Amino acid sequence: MVENALRNLPAVSDVLAQPAVAALLAEGYRQDIITSAVRERIAEARAAVVDGTAPPTAEEVARDVAKATQQSEADWPVHVLNATGVILHTNLGRAPLSPESIRAAAAASEGYSTLELDLEDGKRGSRYGAVARLLRQLTGAEDAIAVNNNAGAMLLGLAAVAAGREVIVSRGEASEIGGGFRIPDVLVQSGARLVEVGTVNRTYATDYERAVTEQTAALLVVHRSNFRVTGFTHEPSLVDIAAVGTAHGVPLLHDLGSGALLDTAQFGIGHETMPQESLAAGADLVFFSGDKLLGGPQAGLAAGRADLVAALRAHPLARALRADKLTLAALHRTLLHYIRGDAMQQIPVWRMISASQEELSERARVVAERIGDRATIVDGSSRLGGGSLPTDELPSRLVSIDASSVGGPDELARRLRAGSPPVVARIEDERVLLDLRTIPSERDAELARAASAALATAADA
């Protein structure tokens, strides 16, 4: 039975002769690429036939290949409207860039640039210099370096400072970060040996003190960016841990994560430790992200003592982890917003965080009116996301949509994602919610149209 079905699979030549595939070849697609795609689709069909599926016709295979080929030509990643209320949404690309940062990255991609050239003497320059200068001004660090992401920055720092030696870290901070990566695993890859002190909930400065040996290369503090330990707890201050390091001539490394250069407490949420505070408290090297609360492109920043940063720059991993010209151009322009004092107005992350209840309520009212009687306004909350202040929420006003006419909230959420532009909403208590905090105000009308289109039924058409 299966053998007969397999014999009915179309031949590659038959599929290539079908109009759908012939049209692709006529448009200029390479014969070998299309032929390979046809063979791959027939192989998939063969496996399905073995499992009991009927064999497709040559026309069906040709149609599948043409559809897949055309989909591969679409822009990627696809731009979406983030109505989840999660500001630093990892799945949606974290921090959106400011218009100036976008233009800077675009300009860097056109033609040639002075990425590693000193125009004054015509000799090779450093790709790190411009960004490092701004980071020194903003954080008080002696020097800084930018690499591809924060995990890379910490890996480079540990490899340069502690390879083959011991790094002391609190047992309560040997945590798992995004994507299943664990701090102990990063330490192992750097060549350093992990020494855990204290307990999951209580660690003291004396625990670090007792663990220091001749093999100790560094003390490491990992900011608990994506979880909180509450109840019967104790952790020493950064000042106290720095004092232990100073007494023994051991550098203190601080993995901050989010990279907030502005005080989050001014917006009614918790205070996220800033790099400048960490350095002032005695950290010798801090690591933080570019695409979280900093509001820039994906990057890992290490700032601190000049001799330690020099060791990072000289390490072979620095080349493997280095940031490209587009990242550095966008990062440079993002940092300039802080230098000029207009970060709150120009960097989208801070505009979202600082949006007032009154502003959000008025915008939600207008959007709800445009959607119609199936939309109402409700109280809700937004989150920072991206591992920043995981237990803190920003009060918000949301547009709640009754999805009963289209088959329920899951179906409406699917329709929103399938729309143009795609809208990513959230579902709570059987309601589809649109949070305007993470929608640029100039796109409110577009959001309302997308929601109205998703709510349309056959009777509405």
Side-chain angles (χ1 to χ4, degrees):
M1 197 82 154
V2 172
E3 289 78 6
N4 290 335
L6 289 172
R7 280 194 289 269
N8 288 329
L9 284 169
V12 172
S13 58
D14 291 339
V15 177
L16 292 173
Q18 293 297 313
V21 170
L24 293 176
L25 297 174
E27 290 174 22
Y29 285 92
R30 283 171 44 184
Q31 175 90 31
D32 59 331
I33 297 294
I34 299 302
T35 300
S36 177
V38 170
R39 288 196 176 110
E40 183 177 335
R41 178 66 191 92
I42 292 175
E44 291 170 355
R46 181 176 291 107
V49 167
V50 171
D51 289 336
T53 302
T57 65
E59 182 182 4
E60 289 171 335
V61 172
R63 193 163 55 241
D64 290 346
V65 169
K67 181 179 179 181
T69 301
Q70 289 158 359
Q71 287 177 339
S72 69
E73 291 251 320
D75 289 340
W76 185 91
V78 177
H79 180 78
V80 302
L81 291 180
N82 174 17
T84 66
V86 179
I87 295 172
L88 297 170
H89 200 305
T90 298
N91 294 350
L92 301 182
R94 290 191 182 158
L97 299 179
S98 74
E100 289 188 21
S101 296
I102 294 170
R103 287 194 291 271
S109 69
E110 296 177 322
Y112 300 100
S113 66
T114 57
L115 179 66
E116 292 188 357
L117 176 70
D118 187 323
L119 283 177
E120 186 172 341
D121 62 16
K123 296 180 180 178
R124 181 168 185 166
S126 169
R127 69 173 54 211
Y128 306 117
V131 165
R133 182 172 59 255
L134 299 183
L135 285 170
R136 289 197 300 268
Q137 295 172 359
L138 289 166
T139 67
E142 293 178 1
D143 203 357
I145 185 174
V147 294
N148 64 337
N149 63 26
N150 192 49
M154 188 165 72
L155 174 64
L156 175 61
L158 291 168
V161 173
R165 300 178 66 198
E166 296 175 349
V167 173
I168 301 173
V169 64
S170 168
R171 187 165 279 106
E173 295 170 2
S175 59
E176 182 174 305
I177 55 179
F181 294 101
R182 297 179 174 181
I183 296 300
D185 295 338
V186 174
L187 278 161
V188 168
Q189 292 302 315
S190 72
R193 297 194 299 275
L194 175 66
V195 176
E196 294 185 24
V197 298
T199 63
V200 170
N201 61 322
R202 296 179 75 82
T203 301
Y204 300 86
T206 52
D207 292 322
Y208 293 88
E209 181 85 41
R210 287 194 293 265
V212 174
T213 69
E214 292 182 355
Q215 285 299 306
T216 303
L219 310 179
L220 174 64
V221 172
V222 181
H223 180 53
R224 297 190 185 104
S225 60
N226 59 1
F227 72 101
R228 289 286 182 268
V229 178
T230 60
F232 186 60
T233 64
H234 181 274
E235 60 183 77
S237 69
L238 203 61
V239 171
D240 291 339
I241 302 173
V244 174
T246 299
H248 293 275
V250 175
L252 170 59
L253 314 182
H254 192 188
D255 176 29
L256 269 178
S258 71
L261 290 177
L262 298 179
D263 185 2
T264 53
Q266 63 183 301
F267 306 108
I269 52 179
H271 175 69
E272 186 83 343
T273 304
M274 298 183 283
Q276 55 269 40
E277 293 175 323
S278 176
L279 291 168
D284 297 288
L285 197 62
V286 295
F287 310 110
F288 52 101
S289 295
D291 59 341
K292 293 186 179 180
L293 289 178
L294 187 72
Q298 178 179 299
L301 309 175
R305 272 173 35 191
D307 62 323
L308 297 180
V309 174
L312 268 64
R313 278 200 178 115
H315 195 279
L317 273 178
R319 184 171 182 85
L321 299 171
R322 71 182 184 181
D324 76 311
K325 61 184 179 182
L326 276 67
T327 297
L328 292 172
L331 178 59
H332 179 262
R333 183 54 58 174
T334 301
L335 293 172
L336 279 175
H337 287 308
Y338 293 95
I339 295 289
R340 295 191 313 222
D342 62 5
M344 199 86 74
Q345 296 75 36
Q346 297 299 324
I347 296 179
V349 163
W350 291 109
R351 287 210 311 268
M352 295 177 200
I353 292 173
S354 61
S356 68
Q357 276 283 74
E358 294 75 19
E359 174 193 346
L360 293 172
S361 183
E362 176 59 20
R363 289 175 56 199
R365 182 190 66 79
V366 173
V367 168
E369 286 181 354
R370 288 174 171 170
I371 294 173
D373 58 8
R374 281 174 281 187
T376 56
I377 304 173
V378 298
D379 289 327
S381 60
S382 312
R383 302 182 76 103
L384 292 185
S388 303
L389 298 174
T391 61
D392 288 59
E393 297 182 344
L394 291 158
S396 189
R397 294 280 282 165
L398 316 177
V399 176
S400 175
I401 304 178
D402 176 8
S404 58
S405 64
V406 295
D410 289 332
E411 172 59 17
L412 178 56
R414 185 198 67 77
R415 290 186 178 200
L416 286 167
R417 294 193 304 272
S420 181
V423 175
V424 183
R426 75 180 194 247
I427 298 175
E428 288 181 5
D429 301 325
E430 295 300 305
R431 302 175 301 174
V432 174
L433 302 177
L434 307 178
D435 192 332
L436 279 295
R437 187 183 294 277
T438 46
I439 299 288
S441 58
E442 64 271 16
R443 305 199 69 177
D444 285 355
E446 194 175 357
L447 173 67
R449 286 194 297 271
S452 296
L455 283 166
T457 63
D460 298 323

